[in-house]
Amino acid sequence: MQNITHIYFDEIDSTNEELKRRYRSGEKPAGWTVVSAGHQTAGKGRSGHQWKSPTEDSVATSMIFYPKVRIQHVPRLTILAGMAVASALEKLYDLPTRLKWPNDVLINEKKVCGILCEMEPDGDHAAYVVVGIGVNVHQKEFPEEIRGMATSVDLALQKSGRDQKSSRRDIDRQIWLEFARLYEAFEKTEDLSALQEEYNSRLVNVNQTVRILDPLGEYTAQSLGIDKQGDLLVKKEDGSLVAVNSGEVHVRGIYGYV
Ligand code: BTN
């Protein structure tokens, strides 16, 4: 099992940025380093968006490591991050977590976390990879624009009728334990062959219709689950099989898609 050093800040700009600063200043410990924060003043989301981490209501955590796997396999780590969150919440709170390809973690059809992986190339490897995860934990409501598609751990516990208090610290710790378990399997084969089944058992809409937003043209297909590369295998209406590895996939009933 990996040796994980955990550093906590009450407040920081962004846990991803803190780890990148440490790396640039020459810090490169042998094990994995996790930085977590009670509040981020400049949390980063995907595609240059902001990520809000309300004070002590969410988990904002990032881990830096130096994977042995070759660079072309690094994008798959984001799939492991989604699996780690789903697995952690299920183990800690027995919540019914599902995955929407590639790495959205859903509870009751709503998104409970965001994942941002960053890396710097160095030849055929990555100099480092930072995996950043933000989990909605204690929030009881969300801004208007995301209200219909976001949930939190506490809301999910409430909905399942349990009077249980969730713990940001436990969630943070369990996520990285799960990530270490998953990465160990991934590193051996540099693919998801050992994890495909676990992923597909959580995937929403297997064997049902999905809408693929391919930049070359949208189409409807039947989702068959991921292959060992982490691509989403779909069967088009003409019977042909396609491995989707980019673009958006819309699933009926999720985020208002009908
Ligand atoms: C998304 O847009 O869905 C990804 C959001 C990722 C947010 C996390 S919170 C911890 C880490 N630090 C950041 O600045 N961003 C990530």
Side-chain angles (χ1 to χ4, degrees):
M1 190 51 98
Q2 286 294 332
N3 176 25
I4 306 179
T5 304
H6 215 130
I7 302 161
Y8 185 81
F9 291 88
D10 287 335
E11 182 175 291
I12 201 159
D13 53 350
S14 149
T15 51
N16 271 33
E17 285 306 310
E18 172 63 15
L19 283 169
K20 292 197 295 181
R21 277 194 294 271
R22 285 169 181 251
Y23 173 81
R24 287 191 206 113
S25 71
E27 208 177 282
K28 195 180 167 188
W32 292 3
T33 305
V34 171
V35 163
S36 306
H39 174 59
Q40 292 186 118
T41 54
K44 294 173 20 172
R46 281 179 297 181
S47 318
H49 290 125
Q50 269 187 359
W51 178 263
K52 294 235 184 301
S53 326
T55 309
E56 317 242 314
D57 263 350
S58 64
V59 164
T61 184
S62 304
M63 196 264 293
I64 191 166
F65 73 126
Y66 316 96
K68 290 199 200 103
V69 298
R70 282 165 299 155
I71 198 156
Q72 65 267 38
H73 305 296
V74 167
R76 300 300 173 224
L77 295 174
T78 161
I79 287 191
L80 300 194
M83 291 177 78
V85 174
S87 186
L89 296 181
E90 194 176 278
K91 281 194 184 151
L92 288 170
Y93 306 116
D94 198 20
L95 284 170
T97 50
R98 313 290 303 278
L99 292 163
K100 176 181 169 292
W101 187 86
N103 65 1
D104 280 0
V105 182
L106 309 175
I107 307 178
N108 304 321
E109 279 99 47
K110 291 184 174 176
K111 197 169 151 171
V112 72
C113 84
I115 293 168
L116 177 68
C117 293
E118 300 183 81
M119 64 133 180
E120 191 176 291
D122 179 15
D124 64 353
H125 282 77
Y128 67 80
V129 173
V130 171
V131 180
I133 300 177
V135 186
N136 304 326
V137 181
H138 299 313
Q139 289 98 322
K140 288 284 161 59
E141 54 182 44
F142 291 92
E144 174 93 54
E145 56 294 0
I146 58 166
R147 198 163 292 157
M149 55 170 90
T151 192
S152 69
V153 176
D154 282 2
L155 282 174
L157 285 170
Q158 200 179 56
K159 194 169 169 157
S160 69
R162 274 174 295 158
D163 188 19
Q164 191 179 354
K165 181 112 182 71
S166 64
S167 150
R168 290 167 50 238
R169 194 190 159 106
D170 290 352
I171 294 169
D172 194 339
R173 193 176 151 271
Q174 191 68 33
I175 286 173
W176 297 119
L177 290 176
E178 295 300 323
F179 189 88
R181 167 182 73 80
L182 297 162
Y183 183 72
E184 211 173 290
F186 178 76
E187 194 184 31
K188 281 189 193 131
T189 53
E190 295 196 322
D191 65 26
L192 291 151
S193 43
L195 302 171
Q196 211 176 329
E197 210 179 298
E198 180 176 333
Y199 183 96
N200 286 335
S201 69
R202 291 188 199 279
L203 183 63
V204 282
N205 255 35
V206 183
N207 296 324
Q208 293 177 42
T209 306
V210 289
R211 182 103 189 126
I212 313 295
L213 307 190
D214 188 311
L216 298 176
E218 293 185 25
Y219 58 93
T220 299
Q222 194 186 13
S223 162
L224 304 178
I226 60 162
D227 63 14
K228 64 180 185 173
Q229 305 307 333
D231 295 346
L232 183 68
L233 279 181
V234 301
K235 192 173 176 185
K236 289 174 101 167
E237 276 157 358
D238 64 6
S240 59
L241 289 181
V242 179
V244 179
N245 57 24
S246 63
E248 278 266 331
V249 174
H250 277 190
V251 174
R252 260 185 232 292
I254 310 286
Y255 311 154
Y257 173 67
V258 285

